[in-house]
Amino acid sequence: VFELPDEDMMLLGEFMRYWDILRQCCGVQMSSSWRQQLLDENITSNEHNPWYSACDTYNISRVESRFMSSILFNEINRLPRLRSMLRVSGRDAELNGSYCERYNTAVRRNHLHFNQMMPS
């Protein structure tokens, strides 16, 4: 697709595999269906719905850690001007291995809505 060498495509694929999950399941701009599931424990997942994010099937801290240990993440992290690309959105804090789990807990406890930050 991008006419990249196979090795670079592998690095990009590894990076995007985890980033895609984090983008849907973590942070202020997480998928609305996952946020709704976090806010209302009576809502159950519906894997037959095409918009089902499957966030409840992931260990989000493990996904975050694997993303942070990817080669491309570490290459980008060495470049200060590009570090913001490593956040799940421009409004989120930096990932640290526990950010996603802490944010998801804050959604449950504080009923955070779209683009709403965690209380300090």
Side-chain angles (χ1 to χ4, degrees), residues 9-10 27 48 66 68-69 72 78 99 104 110:
M9 282 301 293
M10 294 292 287
H48 302 294
R66 287 193 176 174
M68 293 174 61
S69 67
L72 191 51
R78 293 191 317 203
Y99 176 76
N104 289 352
N110 303 303

mmCIF file of all heavy atoms in Angstrom, residues 9-10 27 48 66 68-69 72 78 99 104 110:
data_model
loop_
_atom_site.group_PDB
_atom_site.id
_atom_site.type_symbol
_atom_site.label_atom_id
_atom_site.label_comp_id
_atom_site.label_asym_id
_atom_site.label_seq_id
_atom_site.Cartn_x
_atom_site.Cartn_y
_atom_site.Cartn_z
ATOM 1 N N MET A 9 6.889 -2.400 6.885
ATOM 2 C CA MET A 9 5.466 -2.737 6.964
ATOM 3 C C MET A 9 5.175 -3.543 8.221
ATOM 4 O O MET A 9 4.132 -3.363 8.857
ATOM 5 C CB MET A 9 5.003 -3.509 5.725
ATOM 6 C CG MET A 9 4.779 -2.632 4.506
ATOM 7 S SD MET A 9 3.547 -1.336 4.754
ATOM 8 C CE MET A 9 2.063 -2.306 4.939
ATOM 9 N N MET A 10 6.088 -4.422 8.600
ATOM 10 C CA MET A 10 5.920 -5.208 9.826
ATOM 11 C C MET A 10 5.924 -4.287 11.047
ATOM 12 O O MET A 10 5.100 -4.436 11.954
ATOM 13 C CB MET A 10 7.017 -6.262 9.954
ATOM 14 C CG MET A 10 6.963 -7.347 8.900
ATOM 15 S SD MET A 10 5.528 -8.410 9.073
ATOM 16 C CE MET A 10 6.001 -9.338 10.507
ATOM 17 N N GLY A 27 -9.107 6.495 26.706
ATOM 18 C CA GLY A 27 -8.960 7.940 26.587
ATOM 19 C C GLY A 27 -10.235 8.718 26.333
ATOM 20 O O GLY A 27 -11.323 8.167 26.189
ATOM 21 N N HIS A 48 -22.527 -9.217 17.841
ATOM 22 C CA HIS A 48 -23.135 -9.296 16.511
ATOM 23 C C HIS A 48 -23.380 -7.911 15.918
ATOM 24 O O HIS A 48 -23.675 -7.792 14.736
ATOM 25 C CB HIS A 48 -24.439 -10.093 16.573
ATOM 26 C CG HIS A 48 -24.232 -11.475 17.107
ATOM 27 N ND1 HIS A 48 -23.500 -12.438 16.427
ATOM 28 C CD2 HIS A 48 -24.600 -12.043 18.271
ATOM 29 C CE1 HIS A 48 -23.454 -13.542 17.143
ATOM 30 N NE2 HIS A 48 -24.113 -13.332 18.273
ATOM 31 N N ARG A 66 2.238 -3.268 25.507
ATOM 32 C CA ARG A 66 2.791 -3.815 24.254
ATOM 33 C C ARG A 66 2.973 -2.721 23.214
ATOM 34 O O ARG A 66 3.948 -2.718 22.465
ATOM 35 C CB ARG A 66 1.906 -4.930 23.730
ATOM 36 C CG ARG A 66 2.065 -6.165 24.573
ATOM 37 C CD ARG A 66 1.481 -7.365 23.933
ATOM 38 N NE ARG A 66 1.772 -8.526 24.765
ATOM 39 C CZ ARG A 66 1.311 -9.723 24.541
ATOM 40 N NH1 ARG A 66 0.550 -9.946 23.495
ATOM 41 N NH2 ARG A 66 1.610 -10.713 25.349
ATOM 42 N N MET A 68 3.616 0.378 23.883
ATOM 43 C CA MET A 68 4.774 1.156 24.334
ATOM 44 C C MET A 68 6.098 0.417 24.115
ATOM 45 O O MET A 68 7.146 1.050 24.040
ATOM 46 C CB MET A 68 4.616 1.521 25.810
ATOM 47 C CG MET A 68 3.475 2.488 26.050
ATOM 48 S SD MET A 68 3.206 2.773 27.809
ATOM 49 C CE MET A 68 4.779 3.466 28.253
ATOM 50 N N SER A 69 6.043 -0.901 24.010
ATOM 51 C CA SER A 69 7.285 -1.644 23.776
ATOM 52 C C SER A 69 7.528 -1.915 22.294
ATOM 53 O O SER A 69 8.552 -2.506 21.932
ATOM 54 C CB SER A 69 7.282 -2.954 24.569
ATOM 55 O OG SER A 69 6.307 -3.819 24.079
ATOM 56 N N LEU A 72 8.438 0.856 16.719
ATOM 57 C CA LEU A 72 8.078 2.153 16.147
ATOM 58 C C LEU A 72 7.719 3.165 17.234
ATOM 59 O O LEU A 72 8.086 4.339 17.145
ATOM 60 C CB LEU A 72 6.934 1.998 15.142
ATOM 61 C CG LEU A 72 6.608 3.203 14.274
ATOM 62 C CD1 LEU A 72 7.846 3.760 13.578
ATOM 63 C CD2 LEU A 72 5.542 2.839 13.260
ATOM 64 N N ARG A 78 11.689 8.963 20.691
ATOM 65 C CA ARG A 78 12.992 9.640 20.727
ATOM 66 C C ARG A 78 12.971 10.977 20.006
ATOM 67 O O ARG A 78 13.940 11.729 20.072
ATOM 68 C CB ARG A 78 14.069 8.744 20.117
ATOM 69 C CG ARG A 78 14.340 7.520 20.952
ATOM 70 C CD ARG A 78 15.559 6.791 20.507
ATOM 71 N NE ARG A 78 15.654 6.676 19.054
ATOM 72 C CZ ARG A 78 16.339 5.763 18.428
ATOM 73 N NH1 ARG A 78 17.027 4.884 19.099
ATOM 74 N NH2 ARG A 78 16.373 5.722 17.106
ATOM 75 N N TYR A 99 -2.245 4.243 32.105
ATOM 76 C CA TYR A 99 -3.138 5.363 31.794
ATOM 77 C C TYR A 99 -4.525 4.884 31.380
ATOM 78 O O TYR A 99 -5.539 5.383 31.874
ATOM 79 C CB TYR A 99 -2.538 6.253 30.693
ATOM 80 C CG TYR A 99 -3.493 7.355 30.280
ATOM 81 C CD1 TYR A 99 -3.674 8.458 31.085
ATOM 82 C CD2 TYR A 99 -4.230 7.263 29.098
ATOM 83 C CE1 TYR A 99 -4.565 9.459 30.732
ATOM 84 C CE2 TYR A 99 -5.120 8.251 28.741
ATOM 85 C CZ TYR A 99 -5.293 9.356 29.552
ATOM 86 O OH TYR A 99 -6.187 10.339 29.206
ATOM 87 N N ASN A 104 -10.293 4.508 32.239
ATOM 88 C CA ASN A 104 -11.537 3.724 32.215
ATOM 89 C C ASN A 104 -12.187 3.691 33.595
ATOM 90 O O ASN A 104 -13.412 3.793 33.714
ATOM 91 C CB ASN A 104 -11.275 2.313 31.701
ATOM 92 C CG ASN A 104 -10.978 2.281 30.213
ATOM 93 O OD1 ASN A 104 -11.110 3.288 29.520
ATOM 94 N ND2 ASN A 104 -10.561 1.142 29.727
ATOM 95 N N ASN A 110 -16.546 8.698 37.784
ATOM 96 C CA ASN A 110 -16.881 10.122 37.650
ATOM 97 C C ASN A 110 -17.839 10.422 36.505
ATOM 98 O O ASN A 110 -18.111 11.573 36.227
ATOM 99 C CB ASN A 110 -15.600 10.950 37.477
ATOM 100 C CG ASN A 110 -14.644 10.747 38.627
ATOM 101 O OD1 ASN A 110 -14.983 10.969 39.782
ATOM 102 N ND2 ASN A 110 -13.434 10.293 38.327
#
